[in-house]
Amino acid sequence: SCFLRHARSRNYVSESEVCKLESVPLDFGDYHPLKPITVTESKTKKMNRKGSTSSTSSSSSSSMMDPLSSVLDGTDPLSLFAAAADPVTTTATMDSTRKKRDKDDSSAVGNDFEPWSSKRGEILARYTTTEKLSIVSGSFSRKATTTGSAVSEKVRTRLEELDDLEEGSQKELLNLTQQDYMNRIEELNQSLKDAWSSDQKVKALKIVIQCSKLLSDTTVIQFYPSKFVLITDILDTFGKLVYERILSMCVDNRVSLPDNFSPESVNDTAKETCLNWFFKIASIRELIPRFYVEAAILKCNKFLSKMGISECLPRLTSMIRGIGDPLVAVYARAYLCRVGMEVAPQLKESLNKNFFDFLLTFKQIHGDTVQNQLVVQCVEIPLYLTLYSPAIDWILQCIAYRAPEVLLTEMMERCKKLGNNALLLNSVMSAFRAEFIAARSMDFIGMIKECDESGFPKHLLFRSLGLNLALADPPENDRHQILNEAWKVITKLKNPQDYINCAEVWVEYTCRHFTKREVNTVLADVIKHMTPDRAFEDAYPQLQSIIQKVISYIYDFSLLFSVEKFLPFLDMFQKESVRVEVCKCIMESFIKHQQESTKDPVILNALLHVCKTMHDSVNALTLEDEKRMLAALINGFIKMVSFGRDFEQQLSFYVEARSMFCNLEPVLVQLIHSVNQLAMETRKVMKGNHSRKTAAFVRACVAFCFITIPSLSSIFTRLNLYLHSGQVALANQCLSQADAFFKAAVSLVPEVPKMISIDGKMRPSDAFLLEFLCNFFSTLLVVPDHPEQGVLFLVRGLLNVIQDYTWEDNSDDKVRIYTNVLHLLSAMTQEAYIYHVDKVDSNDTLYGGDSKFLAEINKLCETVIAQILDHLKTLGKEETLKRQSQLALYFFNTILAHGDLRNNKLNQLSVNLWNLAQKHGFADTKTMVKTLEYIKRRSKQPEMSHFTDLALRLPLQSRT
């Protein structure tokens, strides 16, 4: 009860001075800790531990010792090695290594080469069929062999098994859907791995031969590119298994071969096994499986001879000439290029020969045999020609990779000379470097114009050209003509899907090189083509892509929204999910690129419409993550809107935004913060002296917050916003409004649930409530009493709420809160408070240290201390003694900081608490020692001599 009557009177200014860190002048000299240590090589003799040598590491400061050098006695092991090595030999070795590495780098495939794996998915998605497919499936029954049979018997059996495969041990599965077919191929791939892992190598080879045979079948021709992808996956697996098997046989004394091994380092067993595989494959009768299986294990030639691969590639290239069907042949060439680039990218001559062979047989594509086949399958020539694209694109990509410009020009001229060359032209544009194509754009447009209309579709040629021009710029003088020539062809396209696929590519070229007038014309043309029969519904991905390209080049939004056809273009997105995605794209671009705040009415109206679209998509099924994302985008927009000194217009905007975005709680929270900020900006402009007009405006801001906060669902968000808004009201001298906020906060505390959801997990709310109340107490210090409400009415109200709140049985938070209340009450008894709100008189000024006011505080204090001591008594049971010890010390520290310990009763209470903290051996000895040291230090300060007596009365007990 004596605590507040004997609260320590504080001189906050002098205390602040005492607590400041002592400033010490520092003389760094040359040394700086962030300066790098320079290491110099020195030739030192090895000394024994007693002797010392000059340090090999010299720092910029002689006074600083490098700890690593000191351990090494001055001898740096790396320097010793360097000194021991012959410098001439070292240099020669390094030079040869560097040359070798440079040579490897020039021949190897770099990151700028687009791998086959990146094309795989696109081919499978593009070349599909609804027709029924068939597949030949082997029985793969394994014949039992007696363990005692001779080797020759075993070989004969294996050869018979291979013959069985070719002589009808298969059954044909008919009428498979595309998915069934793909599943069956996947089963074969798995069978291959299973057979290999169970050491059934012949069975594995059978599977690979059977799969390769499928590549000669073109009965469902439009599915052929996808079939090629699926089957060559199996061939790749097989090639890898064989190579790794032979490589594992080369391990000698647990040391495996290096990556760049020579055939001489391969042992005889591995070589024999490798030859055995090549002989098995050579005995396959049919050309196509023999070619594919040998190509799959091409890398294994490395085990036999240095020139193995370079000798095999031309032979395999010549073998392809025996394949009659031009489509099958071109894909075989593509596979050979694929394997060649992987195992010997330096052997470009063979790849070039492969392509020139293809050019010689190119006319076959338009021959009678192919025409008859297409008639039977009811496939049009333009569709048939697109089947060649993946293979020719790949062959050309391999040849063009890091090829000199002379070679590219020669290949382009060869293609020019061939008739019906649209297919080749398209592949050249897909495979050659974009800079090469862009520099010759007008030449390519000339060649495209000369192409036969009935063959490869012209719009695909323009699309390929457009893709290059999106990556590289054509000559400046040609740019307008290129756009005119391309768009003349594109705008005449009748099929909306063909049109949009082409237009999507050329929009980027237009945005990149032209003004908003040309962009507007292109968008108008797209709207004209895609609106009839609601064609836009089948082209949402392309339309989305167009929007993304436009906003990635025109990110000045006042310019963007002055493009007349931009908003009508957005109206084509009538499917809600797509429309929302587009709106998100626009808002992300705005937030990323808009540097300065805006009040442009065109931008505001357009983006409010965009944000409203996003907001209205929210429903009961919307995921929390999606809501968070939409709210973040809308908040980003709200923060960028500023009407400068027109604060009333700004408030009107926030009011409109509140009505539009009421379903997204984070947006409402942002609006409350923005309005509070607006009130504080008004105060700043008026320098705290409000006129009648600004006072009314600030009250309007306060009213906005007061009526918006109750609509929020999160209770701690409401509590913190009531507190924050109350502080803003107080700063603007709106005292009754501030009281209303604080009362609302007090009345909301009882509603705080025991558990709250944080990031989807339920957590106890006690810690959050404790934090909030501590902040609240800090504010209540400066809140003046209401003349009609009685002394400290808010503090009393809050204490009643804390008293009635149901706390957890195992929680001491209530006592911690009461201890914090003592800090507040102690601060309230001071003659001048530690801080004030400008132009607001707090209770220190209002009451001027009146004895009745201090008596009221003292009564409150008695009640609080009684509550704390009662709680300490209840913790006297064995299982709660540790908590009792911690709380006793916590309360002791409060008295030490805030009480006047010259008073005997208070002094005795503190000693009792000290003893209670140690009584049952639960006190942390280190903490107790440090506390006692602090008291002894304080006792040496002026007017603190009574701490000396206190220190003598505080014994330290050992845990035992």
Side-chain angles (χ1 to χ4, degrees), residues 539-680:
Y540 284 137
Q542 293 93 328
L543 294 172
Q544 253 179 290
S545 171
I546 289 175
I547 284 283
Q548 282 169 338
K549 283 166 184 168
V550 171
I551 60 180
S552 65
Y553 283 98
I554 309 178
Y555 41 77
D556 174 354
F557 273 71
S558 54
L559 184 64
L560 179 66
F561 290 124
S562 66
V563 174
E564 196 184 322
K565 294 294 178 183
F566 183 74
L567 290 173
F569 192 93
L570 288 183
D571 291 338
M572 285 198 289
F573 295 100
Q574 294 190 5
K575 185 180 178 186
E576 188 183 57
S577 60
V578 182
R579 192 164 71 240
V580 171
E581 281 305 313
V582 171
C583 290
K584 276 156 67 172
C585 260
I586 293 170
M587 290 314 300
E588 280 165 8
S589 176
F590 177 78
I591 290 164
K592 182 180 176 184
H593 295 294
Q594 187 74 20
Q595 300 295 325
E596 296 171 357
S597 50
T598 181
K599 60 176 181 180
D600 184 332
V602 176
I603 294 180
L604 295 191
N605 287 331
L607 290 185
L608 274 173
H609 170 70
V610 168
C611 289
K612 180 82 173 120
T613 303
M614 294 194 304
H615 169 270
D616 291 350
S617 69
V618 174
N619 56 38
L621 301 176
T622 308
L623 297 171
E624 284 303 317
D625 277 355
E626 177 72 4
K627 285 186 193 173
R628 250 197 303 275
M629 189 182 185
L630 295 176
L633 293 172
I634 295 171
N635 285 344
F637 165 60
I638 289 169
K639 288 177 193 170
M640 291 307 295
V641 175
S642 170
F643 291 89
R645 282 290 186 89
D646 191 348
F647 290 167
E648 289 182 351
Q649 183 70 37
Q650 188 84 32
L651 183 60
S652 301
F653 169 76
Y654 291 144
V655 170
E656 185 185 356
R658 180 178 63 185
S659 65
M660 290 176 86
F661 309 126
C662 54
N663 288 338
L664 287 170
E665 193 159 301
V667 178
L668 295 179
V669 172
Q670 177 59 46
L671 288 170
I672 292 166
H673 283 308
S674 296
V675 170
N676 277 329
Q677 192 179 351
L678 191 60
M680 292 308 285

Side-chain angles (χ1 to χ4, degrees), residues 874-887:
T874 61
L875 297 177
K877 298 169 192 162
E878 195 173 337
E879 63 273 15
T880 54
L881 289 175
K882 187 174 182 181
R883 281 165 55 198
Q884 186 189 53
S885 167
Q886 289 169 343
L887 278 182

Side-chain angles (χ1 to χ4, degrees), residues 388-573:
Y388 283 81
S389 292
I392 303 175
D393 289 357
W394 178 257
I395 295 168
L396 282 168
Q397 182 189 321
C398 295
I399 295 169
Y401 179 65
R402 292 184 182 172
E405 200 141 306
V406 184
L407 177 64
L408 299 183
T409 312
E410 184 199 341
M411 289 168 67
M412 185 175 145
E413 291 304 321
R414 285 216 191 184
C415 294
K416 250 189 200 178
K417 288 172 188 170
L418 290 170
N420 295 325
N421 64 353
L423 169 64
L424 278 173
L425 194 57
N426 188 61
S427 291
V428 164
M429 289 190 288
S430 300
F432 283 15
R433 289 192 290 274
E435 293 78 12
F436 179 88
I437 306 293
R440 299 163 179 73
S441 299
M442 291 308 297
D443 293 349
F444 277 98
I445 285 178
M447 289 193 285
I448 292 171
K449 280 180 170 177
E450 289 167 20
C451 287
D452 182 12
E453 281 289 350
S454 63
F456 194 87
K458 264 191 191 178
H459 67 87
L460 290 182
L461 295 172
F462 273 108
R463 186 175 192 278
S464 298
L465 180 60
L467 286 168
N468 281 291
L469 296 180
L471 298 171
D473 300 335
E476 198 164 337
N477 299 336
D478 296 342
R479 288 174 188 174
H480 219 285
Q481 194 181 349
I482 291 168
L483 180 61
N484 287 338
E485 293 290 350
W487 210 262
K488 267 185 218 167
V489 175
I490 296 167
T491 197
K492 285 177 187 167
L493 292 170
K494 297 282 183 284
N495 182 324
Q497 207 58 41
D498 292 345
Y499 171 84
I500 197 66
N501 284 336
C502 221
E504 173 208 350
V505 172
W506 281 87
V507 162
E508 182 160 5
Y509 174 76
T510 313
C511 293
R512 193 175 166 124
H513 298 297
F514 298 98
T515 63
K516 71 170 190 176
R517 189 170 69 87
E518 285 83 1
V519 173
N520 194 50
T521 308
V522 169
L523 293 182
D525 197 59
V526 174
I527 293 169
K528 188 176 108 185
H529 276 79
M530 301 310 291
T531 309
D533 303 323
R534 297 176 71 83
F536 54 77
E537 289 183 344
D538 299 320
Y540 284 137
Q542 293 93 328
L543 294 172
Q544 253 179 290
S545 171
I546 289 175
I547 284 283
Q548 282 169 338
K549 283 166 184 168
V550 171
I551 60 180
S552 65
Y553 283 98
I554 309 178
Y555 41 77
D556 174 354
F557 273 71
S558 54
L559 184 64
L560 179 66
F561 290 124
S562 66
V563 174
E564 196 184 322
K565 294 294 178 183
F566 183 74
L567 290 173
F569 192 93
L570 288 183
D571 291 338
M572 285 198 289
F573 295 100

Side-chain angles (χ1 to χ4, degrees), residues 1-10 12 822-830 854 857-858 861 894-903 906:
S1 64
C2 54
F3 178 80
L4 256 296
R5 261 175 295 184
H6 302 286
R8 185 161 68 82
S9 61
R10 312 283 289 270
Y12 292 119
L822 288 179
H823 301 170
L824 168 65
L825 295 175
S826 167
M828 282 182 162
T829 62
Q830 305 300 321
L854 294 178
I857 293 178
N858 201 39
C861 189
T894 294
I895 295 175
L896 195 63
H898 298 280
D900 184 353
L901 289 167
R902 283 173 293 202
N903 175 271
L906 202 54

